[in-house]
């Protein structure tokens, strides 16, 4: 049974029990009894409103002469405590205890003050209030601990998966680097021997040599992050200007603008910001015919905004995101941020990441 159906079943049951047990002197009293139970259907979505409604309705049917415990109000106390509204629950309970005798005094049964207070003890005892509030608080704490345990398990699983992927990537890096180095070395030796003998060097051999050099260079640049350890401290925001300068040395008109101060930026956010700029500039150099690129860092009280724009030609069709873009998205998501990577309306491409500086 869903929570919604369960709430309606409880509300209907409480309403029926109040109508059967209560004997108000007027017909409106029965309506107040029934409505007092039915409003419990909204106790999950609006616990404070339900607490106020059940309290007022209980005062109403007590004033009509119905001598029945305020069961619906106790359910509401449980629900508000479970939702974490401790102060509201305490204030509502105290107010209810103080006003119930007044409702009994104005009822048509013509009670004395002593009898009114005695009836209040019968329909709402302090022990009932304490039990209902304690049950709600106990369940709230249990749910919170369960959520924390689940979150811890998920974080542990993600960390272990990341460590395993890093291990695999390092092994792959070592293997590919070795094989490509062998290919490049053999091609260079063959070219050298052919030139030494005065023979014509086959074009395919030159292509293999140049491709080997380029592959080795790109592999080292792409997988540089795999070598970050205690001996090689990870890069941060202070290293971003160096990235821009290296991009300018390749002929790209790269500019960096910075707004705000990064004194309180966590180290994990700094590393991610650096990687986003690094990967974005690398993608511009490899896949775009861009002439210029703009790197913008905006430090805000609650987030660091990283934006990299270029004026390159858009890629034809709808290409799938590469490993670099997927890696950026994973890093940003792990920090609870958002990443946007798409062509700009005015031309070129934009990578924009919003990284929270207050980590959960």
């Amino acid at each position: 049974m869903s929570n919604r159906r369960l709430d309606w079943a409880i509300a209907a049951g409480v309403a029926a029990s109040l109508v059967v047990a209560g004997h108000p002197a007027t017909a409106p009293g029965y309506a107040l009894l029934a409505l007092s139970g039915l409003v419990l259907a909204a106790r999950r979505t609006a616990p404070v409103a339900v607490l106020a409604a059940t309290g007022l309705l209980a005062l109403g049917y007590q004033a009509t002469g119905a001598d029945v415990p305020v069961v619906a109000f106790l359910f509401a106390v449980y629900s508000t405590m479970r939702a974490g509204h401790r102060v509201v629950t305490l204030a509502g309970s105290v107010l209810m205890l103080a006003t119930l005798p007044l409702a009994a005094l104005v009822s048509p049964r013509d009670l004395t003050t002593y009898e009114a207070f005695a009836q209040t003890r019968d329909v709402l005892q302090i022990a009932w209030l304490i039990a209902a509030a304690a049950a709600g608080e106990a369940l709230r704490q249990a749910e919170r601990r369960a959520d924390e345990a689940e979150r811890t398990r998920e974080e542990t699983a993600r960390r272990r998966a990341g460590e395993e992927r890093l291990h695999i990537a390092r092994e792959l890096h070592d293997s590919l680097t070795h094989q490509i180095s062998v290919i490049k070395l053999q091609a260079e030796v063959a070219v050298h021997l052919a030139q030494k003998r005065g023979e014509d060097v086959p074009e395919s051999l030159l292509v293999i040599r140049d491709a080997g050099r380029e592959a080795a260079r790109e592999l080292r640049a792409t997988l540089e992050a795999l070598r970050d350890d205690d001996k090689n401290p990870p890069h941060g925001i202070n290293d971003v200007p160096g990235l821009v300068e290296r991009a300018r040395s390749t002929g790209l008109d790269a500019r960096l603008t910075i707004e705000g101060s990064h004194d309180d930026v966590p180290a994990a956010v700094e590393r991610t910001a650096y990687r986003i700029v690094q990967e974005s500039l690398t993608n511009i150099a490899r896949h775009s015919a861009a002439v210029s690129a703009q790197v913008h860092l905006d430090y805000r009280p609650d987030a660091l905004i990283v934006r990299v724009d270029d004026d390159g030609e858009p890629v034809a069709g709808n290409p799938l995101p590469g490993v670099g873009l997927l890696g950026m998205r994973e890093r940003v998501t792990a920090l609870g941020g958002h990443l946007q990577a798409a062509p700009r309306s005015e031309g070129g491409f934009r990578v924009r990441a919003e990284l929270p500086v207050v980590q959960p």
Side-chain angles (χ1 to χ4, degrees), residues 157-175:
R158 283 197 298 267
R159 186 181 69 252
R160 289 177 178 174
E163 292 173 352
E164 182 63 22
R165 289 167 59 190
L166 183 60
H167 173 71
I168 294 172
R170 283 175 171 164
E171 292 293 332
L172 183 61
H173 169 264
D174 294 341
S175 175

Side-chain angles (χ1 to χ4, degrees), residues 201-247:
V201 181
E203 183 66 24
S204 59
L205 192 58
L206 293 174
V207 171
I208 293 174
R209 182 196 64 180
D210 295 341
R213 290 176 178 175
E214 182 66 15
R217 185 190 66 79
E218 289 194 3
L219 187 62
R220 284 194 298 269
T222 303
L223 301 179
E224 180 189 8
L226 300 177
R227 295 307 181 195
D228 282 341
D229 51 27
D230 293 337
K231 296 181 181 179
N232 297 298
H235 296 288
I237 292 177
N238 293 331
D239 300 304
V240 170
L243 287 175
V244 177
E245 285 300 319
R246 283 197 292 273

Side-chain angles (χ1 to χ4, degrees), residues 266-279:
V269 174
E270 286 206 21
R271 290 194 297 269
T272 300
Y274 174 87
R275 293 303 180 196
I276 290 172
V277 176
Q278 181 188 47
E279 184 63 32

Side-chain angles (χ1 to χ4, degrees), residues 49-246:
V50 170
L51 180 72
T54 54
L56 291 174
L57 290 168
L59 292 175
Y61 66 68
Q62 289 294 327
T64 63
D67 185 9
V68 61
V70 289
V71 179
F73 182 76
L74 294 175
F75 271 93
V77 167
Y78 161 82
S79 298
T80 50
M81 282 298 291
R82 183 178 175 180
H85 303 292
R86 297 175 179 174
V87 176
V88 174
T89 305
L90 177 61
S93 300
V94 171
L95 188 61
M96 189 66 173
L97 288 171
T99 53
L100 265 178
L102 299 178
L105 284 173
V106 300
S107 67
R109 287 183 294 175
D110 194 22
L111 301 176
T112 64
T113 302
Y114 176 79
E115 291 172 337
F117 276 95
Q119 179 177 323
T120 299
R121 289 194 300 269
D122 292 337
V123 300
L124 180 60
Q125 295 189 13
I126 296 179
W128 297 351
L129 280 174
I130 295 175
E137 178 66 14
L139 188 55
R140 188 180 74 85
Q141 294 291 342
E143 290 174 341
R144 184 179 62 83
R145 287 192 295 269
D147 290 341
E148 290 179 354
E150 181 64 24
R151 186 163 52 250
T152 301
R153 284 195 296 269
E154 292 177 355
E155 291 174 354
T156 301
R158 283 197 298 267
R159 186 181 69 252
R160 289 177 178 174
E163 292 173 352
E164 182 63 22
R165 289 167 59 190
L166 183 60
H167 173 71
I168 294 172
R170 283 175 171 164
E171 292 293 332
L172 183 61
H173 169 264
D174 294 341
S175 175
L176 286 177
T177 301
H178 172 73
Q179 298 299 333
I180 291 175
S181 297
V182 171
I183 294 172
K184 179 171 68 71
L185 178 61
Q186 295 294 331
E188 290 177 345
V189 169
V191 170
H192 175 72
L193 291 176
Q195 292 174 340
K196 185 177 181 181
R197 295 169 184 168
E199 301 173 353
D200 292 335
V201 181
E203 183 66 24
S204 59
L205 192 58
L206 293 174
V207 171
I208 293 174
R209 182 196 64 180
D210 295 341
R213 290 176 178 175
E214 182 66 15
R217 185 190 66 79
E218 289 194 3
L219 187 62
R220 284 194 298 269
T222 303
L223 301 179
E224 180 189 8
L226 300 177
R227 295 307 181 195
D228 282 341
D229 51 27
D230 293 337
K231 296 181 181 179
N232 297 298
H235 296 288
I237 292 177
N238 293 331
D239 300 304
V240 170
L243 287 175
V244 177
E245 285 300 319
R246 283 197 292 273

Side-chain angles (χ1 to χ4, degrees), residues 29-53:
Y30 286 100
L32 293 174
L33 286 167
L35 189 58
S36 178
L38 293 177
V39 296
L40 291 176
R43 63 191 180 90
R44 293 181 193 271
T45 56
V48 175
V50 170
L51 180 72

